[in-house]
Amino acid sequence: MIQRFDAGEFPYGVFSLRGANSPARVGVAVDDQILDLTSLSADSVFTADSLNPFMAKGADFWRVTRDQVRAAVGRGDGNYLPASSATMRLPVEVADFVDFNSSLQHATNAGLIFRPGADPLRSNWRLMPVGYHGRAGTIVVSGEPITRPCGQFSDDGTVRYAPTKQLDVEAEVGFVIGHGTRPGDRVSTSDFASHVFGVVLVLDWSARDVQSLESVPLGPFLGKSFATTMSAWVLPLDALDTARVPGPVQSPAPAEHLRVERPAGYDLRLEFSVNGSVLSRPAFGSMYWTPAQQLAHLTSNGARLRTGDLFASGTVSDDTEFGSLLELSWNGSRPITLADGSSRTFLGDGDEISLSAVVIGRDGSRRQVGEARGSVSPARC
Amino acid sequence: MIQRFDAGEFPYGVFSLRGANSPARVGVAVDDQILDLTSLSADSVFTADSLNPFMAKGADFWRVTRDQVRAAVGRGDGNYLPASSATMRLPVEVADFVDFNSSLQHATNAGLIFRPGADPLRSNWRLMPVGYHGRAGTIVVSGEPITRPCGQFSDDGTVRYAPTKQLDVEAEVGFVIGHGTRPGDRVSTSDFASHVFGVVLVLDWSARDVQSLESVPLGPFLGKSFATTMSAWVLPLDALDTARVPGPVQSPAPAEHLRVERPAGYDLRLEFSVNGSVLSRPAFGSMYWTPAQQLAHLTSNGARLRTGDLFASGTVSDDTEFGSLLELSWNGSRPITLADGSSRTFLGDGDEISLSAVVIGRDGSRRQVGEARGSVSPARC
């Protein structure tokens, strides 16, 4: 049975009232209600267009706020609104966005598909969590429609500019930086929780044909930069604490600055659906590189963090459950049959994608983590 | 002879008074003075930490301001400060940062160095301006010291985490977006000037050994993300109008959305120096892909632009003058001798790098474009 959040594990979001010319404010999801934090506190960080001012206050303030919320919910204090009366905003003003590629199974599958006969893993893959910077300005909140992008790709031997024929989406988990660093500072794996505010679900939309032509040698660009979806609710990192699991054994042992002292994986079970048909339920706990290692790597050259930085896991695929259509259809060679009898290789116009997750605690408890959704609109070129 | 700017071609920057707890404000460089724009206008966009509020007002407002500045300078109105009394701030709060790779000679040189025997140009290179997203949060203003980064690289056959041994820097020209777009909009090559506020000089610091190990298949990441330097002064795009030149003939003809109707190159002559020794004077007018084509490509998938977006050219190298130490030393194989008799392959601690440029007008006039400088501090790992 799936439980709602315990007190103290409520997710934060930014909402405005539907219809009215209502200012944005910070709220907490409590069942199907939103607790308006401006009814509990006069602090200006709760009357903001994003969680950034709240997140920038740092971990002590996050804990005080969590305690206030817990007490208020227990006493029934504060102003509650039906979630249906609110429009959810993009919760974070994203500063820099980094996307990793940290699933061993996904990296292996991509290698098998695109470089058959070669070693599917690149020589750097087990040495570091390989990643790249994505476009922060095209991150949208769950529910925003995604327009099929146009781009140049090779089609029947000729290159043309046209709507992508291989629109894919990757199921990912993202982490949001609350407390930044000074230039030159590095974040050790044990210092993860003092910088990370919370966790979101991410849909990494990908035009595979565009990506394929453009990405040598500088990596993905327009094949990814048209849109990335983030869940409306940001779950505080503390809520994952009982779901810690060891990641897979890493061989070779990672460099010293990438080692972890305690389990650094998180037992989240994703559910990835198209038009209501569940495609897969990959386990986030299977990821080879953990979020704490990703952040240690990201800052290992002294690059500073800012409030609002987002880094995402890359496609979550485990041994049997794959988090992208590229893998599920094996690059279009094995059509996927949906519940309505239709089949897919890549996404069609009108398709609705949903990614949800449950946190699985050490006591076997299962708690919902929100949702990232998006539907595909026809191209405009 | 190098002239100062004509009225109306003054660069904008953000300064505060040295020493005092002085608020940031917008100024205009006039010879070795700064005209404080708050002395000409009470508009709050001139009392800001960055040019972003001013840039967001759009091209009509930029023109009105330029006319006010021109009139004030002509009459001697307004409050002038010696530049030596001011500290220059990072002029732009950078939203998304994209770096291209648009010099045919640089791309060819990199291919010859890293893939000898193969076609030096990748198959996509003449089809589109290849680019990638960089880290906006580590862009610093000219003059900020650059700390030698640490990272993982292969050294004598073993991979270790250590201070980079191959610190390089690329001489580039960048363009700053003033007026953004809505999601889904594309910017045609003829609409370039209604979105671009101005031009800056960029130093793209690069740890070549780190970059080499990490960048397959997702492109540069930590080898670049530690720092990028931007000039303190942003020259309005209008100031380049008399310096328009045709770019090189493009073969094959680019896709329709990448074609230009009038000369889209700019005749800037760069000067790239280490410790006062001029290394090269590459011609920006030689770039294969022009800024208008870069912007059309960047938005060809509907990715929106935001005020403060920055895109840079990639290393500016022409047939004989190279804009990176990678090329000048041919990946370390041909040491460069400086004026003091010392030699360099890559950069040493304490080295001071300077990039300046002159705009060469159709009438032969030469005007200074400001400067990007940085010196290398020792590693901290």
Side-chain angles (χ1 to χ4, degrees):
Chain A
M1 180 197 158
I2 292 179
Q3 302 173 356
R4 292 294 182 166
F5 293 98
D6 286 350
E9 292 171 342
F10 302 102
Y12 294 96
V14 177
F15 71 99
S16 53
L17 293 180
R18 205 180 289 277
N21 195 354
S22 156
R25 64 193 88 169
V26 174
V28 163
V30 182
D31 296 325
D32 55 356
Q33 306 273 309
I34 298 173
L35 169 56
D36 181 348
L37 282 192
T38 66
S39 67
L40 295 187
S41 165
D43 197 308
S44 64
V45 300
F46 300 121
T47 51
D49 285 341
S50 75
L51 297 178
N52 292 42
F54 171 36
M55 297 195 301
K57 290 273 217 171
D60 288 344
F61 188 85
W62 309 339
R63 272 189 291 271
V64 168
T65 303
R66 183 191 64 191
D67 291 345
Q68 286 176 329
V69 168
R70 179 184 292 148
V73 172
R75 290 192 306 261
D77 288 354
N79 185 23
Y80 289 79
L81 308 157
S84 59
S85 68
T87 299
M88 299 307 300
R89 308 280 194 101
L90 183 66
V92 174
E93 186 183 342
V94 179
D96 274 302
F97 169 39
V98 168
D99 198 17
F100 287 97
N101 174 26
S102 289
S103 157
L104 177 62
Q105 190 65 53
H106 173 72
T108 302
N109 288 341
L112 291 171
I113 288 169
F114 293 119
R115 297 178 296 112
D119 185 340
L121 286 187
R122 303 286 191 170
S123 62
N124 56 16
W125 200 89
R126 288 179 183 271
L127 300 176
M128 64 185 73
V130 172
Y132 68 100
H133 284 90
R135 191 165 184 83
T138 52
I139 295 177
V140 299
V141 69
S142 176
E144 288 274 316
I146 303 302
T147 301
R148 177 181 298 275
C150 301
Q152 290 191 71
F153 55 88
S154 178
D155 190 27
D156 300 330
T158 59
V159 174
R160 61 199 185 101
Y161 174 78
T164 174
K165 292 184 165 184
Q166 297 188 339
L167 182 60
D168 193 3
V169 65
E170 302 184 343
E172 305 196 9
V173 176
F175 292 81
V176 179
I177 297 298
H179 181 58
T181 61
R182 292 167 305 181
D185 287 354
R186 295 180 280 156
V187 177
S188 68
T189 57
S190 58
D191 212 21
F192 183 71
S194 54
H195 294 278
V196 173
F197 176 80
V199 58
V200 292
L201 297 181
V202 171
L203 291 171
D204 175 22
W205 305 90
S206 304
R208 297 296 183 194
D209 38 17
V210 175
Q211 185 184 347
S212 172
L213 181 63
E214 75 182 352
S215 64
V216 172
L218 299 181
F221 182 38
L222 301 191
K224 301 273 195 177
S225 69
F226 56 98
T228 307
T229 299
M230 177 195 286
S231 54
W233 296 103
V234 182
L235 186 64
L237 188 67
D238 286 352
L240 300 189
D241 216 47
T242 65
R244 284 179 171 273
V245 288
V249 173
Q250 295 180 316
S251 175
E256 192 173 332
H257 67 290
L258 298 178
R259 293 182 193 158
V260 296
E261 288 173 1
R262 58 173 187 152
Y266 294 107
D267 198 2
L268 301 184
R269 183 59 55 102
L270 308 188
E271 187 172 280
F272 180 46
S273 303
V274 172
N275 301 338
S277 289
V278 176
L279 295 176
S280 62
R281 292 190 175 90
F284 185 61
S286 73
M287 300 295 278
Y288 188 89
W289 292 105
T290 60
Q293 292 175 310
Q294 291 169 338
L295 189 61
H297 180 59
L298 197 164
T299 59
S300 65
N301 66 350
R304 75 167 172 139
L305 300 175
R306 291 181 294 170
T307 297
D309 281 350
L310 169 69
F311 63 98
S313 58
T315 306
V316 182
S317 291
D318 63 27
D319 287 353
T320 57
E321 303 282 314
F322 299 162
S324 70
L325 275 75
L326 172 73
E327 295 162 270
L328 288 161
S329 77
W330 212 251
N331 201 24
S333 65
R334 303 175 190 163
I336 306 155
T337 303
L338 306 186
D340 66 1
S342 66
S343 70
R344 293 290 181 286
T345 50
F346 292 99
L347 295 172
D349 288 347
D351 280 348
E352 296 187 351
I353 290 77
S354 165
L355 176 65
S356 61
V358 289
V359 186
I360 303 182
R362 276 191 296 267
D363 57 358
S365 63
R366 299 166 71 88
R367 298 189 184 96
Q368 192 75 38
V369 185
E371 190 183 32
R373 285 183 298 108
S375 59
V376 179
S377 300
R380 296 203 278 137
C381 64
Chain B
M1 180 193 153
I2 292 178
Q3 301 173 354
R4 292 294 178 166
F5 292 99
D6 284 350
E9 293 171 341
F10 301 103
Y12 295 97
V14 176
F15 71 99
S16 52
L17 293 181
R18 204 180 291 275
N21 196 354
S22 155
R25 65 194 86 169
V26 174
V28 164
V30 182
D31 295 325
D32 54 356
Q33 305 274 306
I34 299 174
L35 169 57
D36 181 348
L37 283 191
T38 66
S39 68
L40 294 186
S41 165
D43 197 308
S44 64
V45 302
F46 301 120
T47 51
D49 285 341
S50 75
L51 297 177
N52 292 43
F54 171 37
M55 298 195 301
K57 291 273 215 170
D60 288 344
F61 189 85
W62 310 338
R63 273 188 290 271
V64 169
T65 302
R66 184 192 58 190
D67 292 344
Q68 286 177 329
V69 168
R70 179 183 293 149
V73 172
R75 290 193 305 263
D77 287 354
N79 185 22
Y80 289 79
L81 308 157
S84 58
S85 68
T87 299
M88 298 309 299
R89 308 280 196 103
L90 183 66
V92 175
E93 185 182 344
V94 179
D96 275 302
F97 168 41
V98 167
D99 197 18
F100 287 98
N101 175 25
S102 288
S103 156
L104 177 62
Q105 190 65 53
H106 173 72
T108 301
N109 288 342
L112 291 171
I113 289 170
F114 293 120
R115 297 179 295 111
D119 186 339
L121 286 187
R122 304 285 192 170
S123 62
N124 56 16
W125 200 88
R126 288 178 183 273
L127 300 175
M128 63 185 73
V130 172
Y132 69 100
H133 284 91
R135 191 164 185 84
T138 52
I139 296 176
V140 298
V141 68
S142 176
E144 288 273 317
I146 304 302
T147 301
R148 177 181 299 274
C150 301
Q152 291 191 69
F153 55 87
S154 178
D155 190 26
D156 301 330
T158 60
V159 173
R160 61 199 185 102
Y161 174 79
T164 175
K165 292 184 167 184
Q166 297 187 340
L167 182 60
D168 193 3
V169 65
E170 301 184 342
E172 306 196 8
V173 177
F175 292 81
V176 179
I177 296 298
H179 181 57
T181 61
R182 292 166 307 180
D185 287 354
R186 294 180 280 155
V187 178
S188 69
T189 57
S190 58
D191 213 19
F192 183 72
S194 54
H195 294 277
V196 173
F197 175 80
V199 59
V200 292
L201 297 181
V202 172
L203 292 171
D204 175 21
W205 304 90
S206 304
R208 297 296 182 193
D209 38 16
V210 175
Q211 184 184 347
S212 172
L213 181 64
E214 74 182 354
S215 65
V216 172
L218 300 181
F221 182 38
L222 301 191
K224 301 272 196 178
S225 68
F226 56 98
T228 307
T229 299
M230 176 194 286
S231 55
W233 296 103
V234 183
L235 186 65
L237 189 68
D238 285 351
L240 301 189
D241 217 46
T242 65
R244 284 178 170 274
V245 289
V249 173
Q250 295 180 315
S251 175
E256 192 172 332
H257 67 289
L258 298 180
R259 292 181 194 159
V260 295
E261 288 172 2
R262 59 172 185 150
Y266 294 106
D267 197 2
L268 301 183
R269 182 61 53 103
L270 308 188
E271 187 171 280
F272 179 46
S273 304
V274 171
N275 301 340
S277 289
V278 176
L279 296 176
S280 63
R281 292 191 175 89
F284 186 61
S286 73
M287 299 295 279
Y288 187 89
W289 293 105
T290 60
Q293 292 175 309
Q294 292 170 337
L295 189 61
H297 180 59
L298 197 164
T299 60
S300 65
N301 67 350
R304 75 167 171 137
L305 299 176
R306 292 181 292 170
T307 297
D309 281 349
L310 168 69
F311 62 99
S313 57
T315 305
V316 182
S317 291
D318 63 26
D319 287 353
T320 57
E321 303 283 314
F322 300 162
S324 69
L325 274 74
L326 172 73
E327 296 162 271
L328 288 162
S329 76
W330 212 252
N331 199 25
S333 67
R334 302 175 192 165
I336 307 155
T337 303
L338 305 187
D340 65 2
S342 65
S343 70
R344 292 291 181 284
T345 50
F346 293 98
L347 295 172
D349 290 346
D351 280 348
E352 297 188 351
I353 290 77
S354 165
L355 176 65
S356 62
V358 289
V359 186
I360 302 183
R362 275 191 297 266
D363 56 358
S365 64
R366 299 165 71 88
R367 297 189 185 96
Q368 192 75 38
V369 183
E371 190 184 32
R373 285 183 299 108
S375 58
V376 179
S377 300
R380 295 204 280 139
C381 64

